[in-house]
Amino acid sequence: MGAKQVVSKIIKRDGRIVTFVSEKITNAIFKALLAVGKKDRALAERLSTQVTELVGRQFKGKTPTVEDGQDAVEKVLIENR
């Protein structure tokens, strides 16, 4: 959605370093929204942008782990209740 993605890689649970794909975060958030009865893809995209920006700020110059990404998703979801 035009947000600058400053994270380019992420460390998977098995230790592999792979390309960071913000769409995966959007999809996970959208599935969570569907689980609570909110069919709002635009909201999932906005929240995903917030997650990407948060991870970018927290891990500037470093490579975050999948768990770091999950923590950021949780933080953004809590802040946007």
Side-chain angles (χ1 to χ4, degrees):
M1 278 189 48
K4 183 178 177 191
Q5 184 171 308
V6 293
V7 176
S8 62
K9 301 288 183 185
I10 193 162
I11 302 170
K12 303 278 279 183
R13 286 187 179 85
D14 64 8
R16 288 180 298 132
I17 298 174
V18 298
T19 300
F20 179 85
V21 180
S22 62
E23 184 69 17
K24 289 184 178 184
I25 292 173
T26 302
N27 291 339
I29 292 172
F30 185 59
K31 286 179 186 177
L33 289 172
L34 288 174
V36 297
K38 292 185 179 183
K39 189 177 181 180
D40 190 342
R41 182 73 183 187
L43 175 58
E45 290 171 357
R46 286 192 306 276
L47 294 172
S48 177
T49 296
Q50 290 179 30
V51 169
T52 302
E53 290 171 352
L54 174 62
V55 171
R57 286 191 308 272
Q58 288 182 331
F59 295 92
K60 192 170 189 159
K62 300 176 189 169
T63 304
T65 65
V66 168
E67 290 82 4
D68 295 325
Q70 289 175 328
D71 290 346
V73 168
E74 186 175 316
K75 179 175 174 50
V76 166
L77 290 177
I78 289 169
E79 290 175 351
N80 285 275
R81 277 198 238 184

Coordinates of all heavy atoms in Angstrom, one line a residue:
M1 N 0.8 -1.2 0.0 CA 0.0 0.0 0.0 C 0.9 1.3 0.0 O 0.5 2.3 0.6 CB -0.9 0.0 1.2 CG -2.2 -0.8 1.0 SD -3.4 -0.7 2.3 CE -3.6 1.0 2.5
G2 N 2.0 1.2 -0.6 CA 2.9 2.4 -0.6 C 3.8 2.6 0.6 O 4.5 3.5 0.6
A3 N 3.6 1.7 1.6 CA 4.5 1.9 2.8 C 5.9 1.4 2.4 O 6.1 0.4 1.7 CB 4.0 1.1 3.9
K4 N 6.9 2.1 2.9 CA 8.3 1.8 2.6 C 8.6 0.6 3.5 O 8.5 0.6 4.7 CB 9.2 2.9 3.0 CG 10.6 2.7 2.7 CD 11.5 3.9 3.0 CE 12.9 3.6 2.8 NZ 13.8 4.6 3.3
Q5 N 9.0 -0.5 2.8 CA 9.4 -1.7 3.5 C 10.9 -1.7 3.8 O 11.7 -1.8 2.9 CB 9.0 -2.9 2.7 CG 9.2 -4.2 3.4 CD 8.6 -5.4 2.7 OE1 7.5 -5.4 2.3 NE2 9.4 -6.4 2.4
V6 N 11.2 -1.5 5.0 CA 12.7 -1.4 5.4 C 13.3 -2.7 5.8 O 14.5 -2.8 5.9 CB 12.9 -0.3 6.5 CG1 12.6 1.1 5.9 CG2 12.1 -0.6 7.7
V7 N 12.4 -3.7 6.0 CA 12.9 -5.1 6.4 C 12.9 -5.8 5.1 O 11.9 -5.9 4.3 CB 11.9 -5.7 7.4 CG1 12.4 -7.2 7.6 CG2 11.9 -5.0 8.7
S8 N 14.1 -6.4 4.8 CA 14.1 -7.2 3.5 C 14.3 -8.7 3.7 O 14.0 -9.5 2.8 CB 15.3 -6.7 2.6 OG 16.5 -6.9 3.3
K9 N 14.8 -9.1 4.9 CA 15.0 -10.5 5.2 C 14.4 -10.8 6.6 O 14.2 -10.0 7.4 CB 16.5 -10.8 5.2 CG 17.2 -10.6 3.9 CD 16.8 -11.6 2.8 CE 17.6 -11.3 1.6 NZ 17.2 -12.2 0.5
I10 N 14.1 -12.1 6.8 CA 13.6 -12.6 8.1 C 14.2 -14.0 8.3 O 14.4 -14.7 7.4 CB 12.1 -12.6 8.1 CG1 11.5 -12.8 9.5 CG2 11.5 -13.6 7.2 CD1 10.1 -12.4 9.7
I11 N 14.5 -14.3 9.6 CA 15.0 -15.5 10.0 C 13.9 -16.5 10.4 O 13.1 -16.2 11.3 CB 16.0 -15.4 11.2 CG1 17.1 -14.4 10.8 CG2 16.6 -16.8 11.5 CD1 18.0 -14.0 12.0
K12 N 13.8 -17.6 9.6 CA 12.8 -18.6 9.9 C 13.1 -19.4 11.1 O 14.3 -19.4 11.6 CB 12.6 -19.5 8.7 CG 12.3 -18.9 7.3 CD 10.9 -18.6 7.2 CE 10.2 -19.8 6.7 NZ 8.8 -19.6 6.5
R13 N 12.2 -20.2 11.6 CA 12.4 -21.0 12.8 C 13.6 -22.0 12.6 O 14.2 -22.4 13.6 CB 11.1 -21.7 13.2 CG 10.1 -20.8 13.8 CD 8.9 -21.6 14.4 NE 8.0 -20.7 15.0 CZ 7.1 -20.0 14.4 NH1 6.9 -20.1 13.1 NH2 6.3 -19.1 15.0
D14 N 13.7 -22.5 11.4 CA 14.8 -23.5 11.1 C 16.2 -22.8 10.9 O 17.1 -23.5 10.6 CB 14.4 -24.4 10.0 CG 14.3 -23.7 8.6 OD1 14.6 -22.5 8.6 OD2 13.9 -24.3 7.7
G15 N 16.2 -21.5 11.0 CA 17.5 -20.7 10.9 C 17.7 -20.2 9.5 O 18.6 -19.4 9.3
R16 N 16.9 -20.6 8.5 CA 17.1 -20.0 7.2 C 16.7 -18.6 7.1 O 15.8 -18.1 7.8 CB 16.2 -20.8 6.2 CG 16.6 -22.2 5.8 CD 15.7 -22.8 4.8 NE 14.3 -22.9 5.4 CZ 13.2 -22.6 4.7 NH1 13.3 -22.1 3.5 NH2 12.1 -22.7 5.3
I17 N 17.5 -17.8 6.3 CA 17.2 -16.4 6.1 C 16.5 -16.3 4.8 O 17.1 -16.7 3.8 CB 18.5 -15.5 6.2 CG1 19.1 -15.7 7.6 CG2 18.1 -14.1 5.9 CD1 20.4 -15.0 7.7
V18 N 15.3 -15.8 4.8 CA 14.5 -15.7 3.6 C 14.0 -14.2 3.3 O 14.1 -13.4 4.2 CB 13.3 -16.6 3.6 CG1 13.8 -18.1 3.7 CG2 12.3 -16.3 4.7
T19 N 13.5 -14.0 2.2 CA 13.0 -12.7 1.9 C 11.7 -12.4 2.7 O 10.9 -13.2 2.9 CB 12.6 -12.6 0.4 OG1 13.8 -12.8 -0.4 CG2 12.0 -11.2 0.0
F20 N 11.7 -11.2 3.3 CA 10.5 -10.7 4.1 C 9.4 -10.4 3.1 O 9.6 -9.6 2.2 CB 10.9 -9.5 4.9 CG 9.8 -9.0 5.8 CD1 9.5 -9.5 7.0 CD2 9.0 -7.9 5.3 CE1 8.5 -9.0 7.8 CE2 8.0 -7.4 6.1 CZ 7.7 -8.0 7.3
V21 N 8.2 -11.0 3.3 CA 7.1 -10.7 2.4 C 5.9 -10.2 3.3 O 5.3 -11.0 4.0 CB 6.7 -12.0 1.6 CG1 5.5 -11.8 0.7 CG2 7.9 -12.6 0.9
S22 N 5.7 -8.9 3.2 CA 4.6 -8.3 4.0 C 3.3 -8.9 3.8 O 2.4 -8.9 4.6 CB 4.6 -6.8 3.9 OG 4.4 -6.4 2.6
E23 N 3.0 -9.4 2.6 CA 1.8 -10.0 2.2 C 1.4 -11.2 3.1 O 0.3 -11.5 3.4 CB 1.8 -10.4 0.7 CG 0.5 -11.0 0.2 CD -0.7 -9.9 0.1 OE1 -0.4 -8.7 0.1 OE2 -1.8 -10.3 0.0
K24 N 2.4 -11.9 3.6 CA 2.2 -13.0 4.5 C 1.6 -12.5 5.8 O 0.8 -13.2 6.4 CB 3.5 -13.8 4.7 CG 3.9 -14.6 3.5 CD 5.1 -15.5 3.8 CE 5.5 -16.3 2.6 NZ 6.6 -17.2 2.9
I25 N 2.1 -11.4 6.3 CA 1.5 -10.8 7.5 C 0.1 -10.3 7.2 O -0.8 -10.6 8.1 CB 2.4 -9.6 8.0 CG1 3.8 -10.1 8.4 CG2 1.7 -8.8 9.1 CD1 4.8 -9.1 8.7
T26 N -0.1 -9.7 6.1 CA -1.5 -9.3 5.8 C -2.4 -10.5 5.8 O -3.5 -10.4 6.3 CB -1.5 -8.6 4.4 OG1 -0.6 -7.5 4.4 CG2 -2.9 -8.1 4.0
N27 N -2.0 -11.6 5.1 CA -2.9 -12.8 5.1 C -3.2 -13.3 6.5 O -4.3 -13.8 6.8 CB -2.2 -13.8 4.2 CG -2.2 -13.4 2.7 OD1 -3.0 -12.6 2.3 ND2 -1.3 -14.0 1.9
A28 N -2.1 -13.4 7.3 CA -2.3 -13.9 8.7 C -3.3 -13.0 9.5 O -4.2 -13.6 10.2 CB -1.0 -14.0 9.4
I29 N -3.1 -11.7 9.3 CA -4.0 -10.8 10.1 C -5.4 -10.9 9.5 O -6.4 -11.0 10.3 CB -3.5 -9.4 10.0 CG1 -2.2 -9.2 10.8 CG2 -4.6 -8.4 10.5 CD1 -1.5 -7.9 10.6
F30 N -5.6 -11.1 8.2 CA -6.9 -11.2 7.6 C -7.6 -12.5 8.1 O -8.8 -12.5 8.5 CB -6.8 -11.2 6.1 CG -8.2 -11.2 5.4 CD1 -9.1 -10.2 5.7 CD2 -8.5 -12.2 4.5 CE1 -10.3 -10.2 5.0 CE2 -9.7 -12.2 3.9 CZ -10.6 -11.2 4.1
K31 N -6.8 -13.6 8.2 CA -7.4 -14.8 8.7 C -7.8 -14.7 10.2 O -8.9 -15.2 10.6 CB -6.4 -16.0 8.6 CG -6.2 -16.5 7.2 CD -5.1 -17.6 7.2 CE -4.8 -18.0 5.8 NZ -3.7 -19.0 5.7
A32 N -7.1 -13.9 11.0 CA -7.4 -13.7 12.4 C -8.7 -12.8 12.4 O -9.6 -13.1 13.2 CB -6.3 -13.0 13.1
L33 N -8.8 -11.8 11.5 CA -10.0 -11.0 11.5 C -11.2 -11.8 11.1 O -12.3 -11.7 11.7 CB -9.8 -9.8 10.5 CG -8.9 -8.7 10.9 CD1 -8.7 -7.8 9.8 CD2 -9.4 -8.0 12.2
L34 N -11.1 -12.7 10.1 CA -12.2 -13.6 9.7 C -12.6 -14.5 10.9 O -13.8 -14.7 11.1 CB -11.8 -14.5 8.5 CG -11.6 -13.8 7.2 CD1 -11.0 -14.8 6.2 CD2 -12.9 -13.2 6.7
A35 N -11.7 -14.9 11.7 CA -12.0 -15.8 12.8 C -12.9 -15.1 13.9 O -13.6 -15.8 14.6 CB -10.7 -16.3 13.5
V36 N -12.8 -13.8 13.9 CA -13.6 -13.0 14.8 C -14.8 -12.3 14.1 O -15.4 -11.4 14.7 CB -12.8 -12.0 15.7 CG1 -11.8 -12.8 16.6 CG2 -12.1 -11.0 14.8
G37 N -15.1 -12.8 12.9 CA -16.2 -12.3 12.2 C -16.1 -10.9 11.4 O -17.0 -10.3 11.1
K38 N -14.8 -10.5 11.2 CA -14.6 -9.3 10.5 C -14.0 -9.6 9.1 O -12.8 -9.9 9.0 CB -13.6 -8.3 11.3 CG -14.2 -7.8 12.6 CD -13.3 -6.8 13.2 CE -13.8 -6.3 14.5 NZ -13.0 -5.3 15.1
K39 N -14.8 -9.4 8.1 CA -14.3 -9.7 6.8 C -13.8 -8.3 6.2 O -14.5 -7.7 5.4 CB -15.4 -10.3 5.9 CG -14.9 -10.8 4.6 CD -16.0 -11.4 3.8 CE -15.5 -11.9 2.5 NZ -16.5 -12.6 1.7
D40 N -12.6 -7.9 6.6 CA -12.1 -6.5 6.3 C -10.7 -6.6 5.8 O -9.8 -6.4 6.6 CB -12.3 -5.6 7.5 CG -12.1 -4.1 7.2 OD1 -11.5 -3.8 6.1 OD2 -12.5 -3.3 8.0
R41 N -10.5 -6.8 4.5 CA -9.2 -6.9 4.0 C -8.4 -5.6 4.1 O -7.2 -5.6 4.3 CB -9.2 -7.4 2.5 CG -7.9 -7.6 1.8 CD -7.2 -8.8 2.3 NE -5.9 -8.9 1.6 CZ -5.2 -10.0 1.8 NH1 -5.6 -11.0 2.5 NH2 -4.0 -10.0 1.2
A42 N -9.1 -4.5 3.9 CA -8.4 -3.2 4.0 C -7.9 -3.0 5.4 O -6.7 -2.4 5.6 CB -9.4 -2.1 3.6
L43 N -8.6 -3.4 6.4 CA -8.1 -3.3 7.8 C -6.9 -4.2 8.0 O -5.9 -3.7 8.6 CB -9.2 -3.7 8.8 CG -8.8 -3.7 10.3 CD1 -8.2 -2.4 10.7 CD2 -9.9 -4.2 11.1
A44 N -6.9 -5.3 7.4 CA -5.7 -6.2 7.5 C -4.5 -5.6 6.9 O -3.4 -5.7 7.4 CB -6.0 -7.6 6.9
E45 N -4.7 -4.9 5.8 CA -3.6 -4.3 5.1 C -3.1 -3.1 5.9 O -1.8 -2.9 6.0 CB -4.1 -3.8 3.7 CG -4.3 -5.0 2.7 CD -4.9 -4.6 1.4 OE1 -5.3 -3.4 1.2 OE2 -5.1 -5.5 0.6
R46 N -3.9 -2.3 6.5 CA -3.5 -1.2 7.3 C -2.7 -1.7 8.5 O -1.6 -1.2 8.9 CB -4.7 -0.4 7.8 CG -5.3 0.5 6.7 CD -6.2 1.6 7.2 NE -7.3 1.0 8.1 CZ -8.5 0.5 7.6 NH1 -8.7 0.5 6.3 NH2 -9.4 0.1 8.4
L47 N -3.2 -2.7 9.2 CA -2.5 -3.3 10.3 C -1.2 -3.9 9.9 O -0.2 -3.8 10.6 CB -3.4 -4.3 11.0 CG -4.7 -3.8 11.7 CD1 -5.6 -4.9 12.1 CD2 -4.4 -2.8 12.8
S48 N -1.1 -4.6 8.8 CA 0.1 -5.1 8.3 C 1.1 -4.1 8.0 O 2.3 -4.3 8.3 CB -0.2 -5.9 7.0 OG 1.0 -6.4 6.4
T49 N 0.7 -2.9 7.5 CA 1.6 -1.8 7.3 C 2.2 -1.4 8.6 O 3.4 -1.1 8.7 CB 0.9 -0.7 6.6 OG1 0.5 -1.1 5.3 CG2 1.8 0.5 6.4
Q50 N 1.4 -1.3 9.6 CA 1.8 -0.9 11.0 C 2.9 -1.9 11.5 O 3.9 -1.5 12.1 CB 0.7 -0.8 11.9 CG -0.2 0.4 11.7 CD -1.4 0.5 12.7 OE1 -1.3 0.0 13.8 NE2 -2.5 1.0 12.2
V51 N 2.6 -3.2 11.3 CA 3.5 -4.2 11.7 C 4.9 -4.1 11.0 O 5.9 -4.1 11.6 CB 3.0 -5.6 11.5 CG1 4.0 -6.7 11.7 CG2 1.7 -5.9 12.4
T52 N 4.8 -3.9 9.7 CA 6.0 -3.8 8.9 C 6.9 -2.6 9.3 O 8.1 -2.6 9.5 CB 5.7 -3.7 7.4 OG1 5.0 -4.8 7.0 CG2 6.9 -3.6 6.5
E53 N 6.2 -1.5 9.6 CA 6.9 -0.2 10.0 C 7.5 -0.4 11.4 O 8.6 0.0 11.7 CB 5.9 0.9 10.0 CG 5.5 1.4 8.6 CD 4.4 2.4 8.5 OE1 3.8 2.7 9.6 OE2 4.2 2.9 7.4
L54 N 6.8 -1.1 12.3 CA 7.3 -1.4 13.7 C 8.5 -2.3 13.6 O 9.5 -1.9 14.3 CB 6.2 -2.0 14.5 CG 6.6 -2.5 15.9 CD1 7.0 -1.3 16.8 CD2 5.4 -3.2 16.6
V55 N 8.4 -3.3 12.9 CA 9.6 -4.2 12.7 C 10.8 -3.5 12.1 O 11.9 -3.6 12.6 CB 9.2 -5.5 11.9 CG1 10.4 -6.3 11.6 CG2 8.2 -6.3 12.7
G56 N 10.5 -2.6 11.1 CA 11.5 -1.9 10.5 C 12.2 -0.9 11.5 O 13.5 -0.8 11.5
R57 N 11.4 -0.3 12.4 CA 12.0 0.6 13.4 C 12.8 -0.2 14.4 O 13.9 0.1 14.8 CB 10.9 1.4 14.1 CG 10.4 2.5 13.3 CD 9.5 3.4 14.1 NE 8.5 2.7 14.9 CZ 7.2 2.5 14.4 NH1 6.9 2.8 13.2 NH2 6.4 1.9 15.2
Q58 N 12.3 -1.3 14.9 CA 12.9 -2.1 16.0 C 14.1 -2.8 15.5 O 15.0 -3.1 16.3 CB 11.9 -3.1 16.5 CG 10.8 -2.5 17.3 CD 9.9 -3.6 17.9 OE1 9.7 -4.6 17.4 NE2 9.3 -3.3 19.1
F59 N 14.2 -3.2 14.2 CA 15.3 -4.0 13.8 C 16.1 -3.3 12.6 O 16.6 -4.0 11.8 CB 14.8 -5.4 13.3 CG 14.2 -6.2 14.5 CD1 12.9 -6.1 14.8 CD2 15.0 -6.9 15.3 CE1 12.4 -6.8 15.9 CE2 14.5 -7.6 16.3 CZ 13.2 -7.5 16.7
K60 N 16.2 -2.0 12.7 CA 16.9 -1.3 11.7 C 18.4 -1.8 11.7 O 19.1 -1.8 12.7 CB 16.9 0.2 12.0 CG 17.4 1.1 10.9 CD 17.1 2.5 11.2 CE 17.4 3.3 10.0 NZ 16.7 4.6 10.0
G61 N 18.8 -2.3 10.5 CA 20.2 -2.8 10.4 C 20.3 -4.2 10.8 O 21.4 -4.7 10.8
K62 N 19.3 -4.9 11.3 CA 19.3 -6.2 11.8 C 18.3 -7.1 11.1 O 17.4 -6.5 10.5 CB 19.1 -6.3 13.3 CG 20.0 -5.5 14.2 CD 19.6 -5.5 15.6 CE 20.5 -4.6 16.4 NZ 19.9 -4.4 17.8
T63 N 18.4 -8.4 11.2 CA 17.4 -9.3 10.6 C 16.5 -9.8 11.7 O 17.0 -10.5 12.6 CB 18.1 -10.4 9.9 OG1 19.0 -9.8 8.9 CG2 17.1 -11.3 9.1
P64 N 15.2 -9.5 11.7 CA 14.3 -10.1 12.7 C 14.0 -11.6 12.5 O 14.2 -12.1 11.4 CB 13.0 -9.2 12.5 CG 13.1 -8.9 11.1 CD 14.5 -8.7 10.7
T65 N 13.5 -12.2 13.5 CA 13.1 -13.6 13.4 C 11.6 -13.6 13.2 O 10.9 -12.6 13.4 CB 13.4 -14.4 14.7 OG1 12.6 -13.8 15.8 CG2 14.9 -14.3 15.0
V66 N 11.1 -14.8 12.8 CA 9.6 -15.0 12.7 C 8.9 -14.6 14.0 O 7.9 -14.0 14.0 CB 9.3 -16.4 12.2 CG1 7.8 -16.7 12.3 CG2 9.8 -16.6 10.8
E67 N 9.5 -15.0 15.1 CA 9.0 -14.8 16.4 C 8.9 -13.2 16.6 O 7.9 -12.7 17.2 CB 9.8 -15.4 17.5 CG 9.6 -17.0 17.5 CD 10.5 -17.7 16.5 OE1 11.3 -17.0 15.8 OE2 10.3 -18.9 16.4
D68 N 9.9 -12.5 16.2 CA 9.9 -11.0 16.3 C 8.7 -10.5 15.6 O 8.0 -9.6 16.0 CB 11.2 -10.4 15.8 CG 12.4 -10.8 16.6 OD1 12.3 -11.0 17.9 OD2 13.5 -11.0 16.0
G69 N 8.5 -11.0 14.4 CA 7.4 -10.6 13.6 C 6.0 -10.9 14.3 O 5.1 -10.0 14.3
Q70 N 5.9 -12.1 14.8 CA 4.7 -12.4 15.5 C 4.5 -11.5 16.7 O 3.3 -11.1 17.0 CB 4.8 -13.9 16.0 CG 4.7 -14.8 14.9 CD 4.9 -16.3 15.3 OE1 5.6 -16.6 16.2 NE2 4.2 -17.2 14.6
D71 N 5.5 -11.2 17.5 CA 5.4 -10.2 18.6 C 4.9 -8.9 18.1 O 4.1 -8.3 18.8 CB 6.8 -10.1 19.3 CG 7.2 -11.3 20.1 OD1 6.4 -12.2 20.3 OD2 8.4 -11.4 20.4
A72 N 5.4 -8.4 17.0 CA 5.0 -7.1 16.4 C 3.5 -7.2 16.0 O 2.8 -6.2 16.2 CB 5.9 -6.8 15.2
V73 N 3.1 -8.3 15.4 CA 1.7 -8.5 15.0 C 0.8 -8.4 16.3 O -0.2 -7.6 16.3 CB 1.4 -9.8 14.3 CG1 -0.1 -10.1 14.2 CG2 2.1 -9.8 12.9
E74 N 1.2 -9.1 17.3 CA 0.4 -9.1 18.6 C 0.3 -7.7 19.2 O -0.7 -7.2 19.6 CB 1.1 -10.0 19.6 CG 0.3 -10.2 20.9 CD 1.0 -11.2 21.8 OE1 1.4 -12.3 21.3 OE2 1.0 -10.9 23.0
K75 N 1.4 -7.0 19.2 CA 1.5 -5.6 19.7 C 0.5 -4.7 18.9 O -0.3 -3.9 19.5 CB 2.9 -5.0 19.7 CG 3.0 -3.6 20.2 CD 4.5 -3.2 20.2 CE 4.7 -1.8 20.6 NZ 4.1 -1.3 21.7
V76 N 0.6 -4.8 17.6 CA -0.3 -3.9 16.7 C -1.7 -4.3 16.9 O -2.6 -3.4 17.0 CB 0.2 -4.0 15.3 CG1 -0.9 -3.4 14.3 CG2 1.5 -3.3 15.1
L77 N -2.1 -5.6 17.0 CA -3.4 -6.0 17.2 C -4.0 -5.5 18.5 O -5.1 -5.0 18.6 CB -3.6 -7.5 17.1 CG -3.4 -8.1 15.7 CD1 -3.5 -9.6 15.8 CD2 -4.4 -7.5 14.7
I78 N -3.2 -5.6 19.6 CA -3.6 -5.1 20.9 C -3.8 -3.6 20.9 O -4.8 -3.1 21.4 CB -2.6 -5.5 22.0 CG1 -2.6 -7.0 22.2 CG2 -2.8 -4.7 23.3 CD1 -1.5 -7.5 23.1
E79 N -2.9 -2.9 20.2 CA -3.0 -1.4 20.2 C -4.2 -0.9 19.3 O -4.7 0.2 19.5 CB -1.7 -0.8 19.6 CG -0.6 -0.9 20.5 CD 0.8 -0.4 19.9 OE1 0.8 -0.2 18.7 OE2 1.7 -0.3 20.7
N80 N -4.7 -1.8 18.5 CA -5.8 -1.4 17.6 C -7.1 -2.1 17.9 O -8.0 -2.1 17.0 CB -5.4 -1.7 16.1 CG -4.4 -0.7 15.6 OD1 -4.8 0.4 15.1 ND2 -3.1 -1.0 15.7
R81 N -7.3 -2.5 19.1 CA -8.6 -3.2 19.5 C -9.7 -2.3 19.3 O -9.8 -1.1 19.5 CB -8.5 -3.6 20.9 CG -7.8 -4.9 21.1 CD -8.2 -5.4 22.5 NE -7.0 -5.6 23.2 CZ -7.0 -6.1 24.4 NH1 -8.0 -6.4 25.0 NH2 -5.8 -6.3 25.0

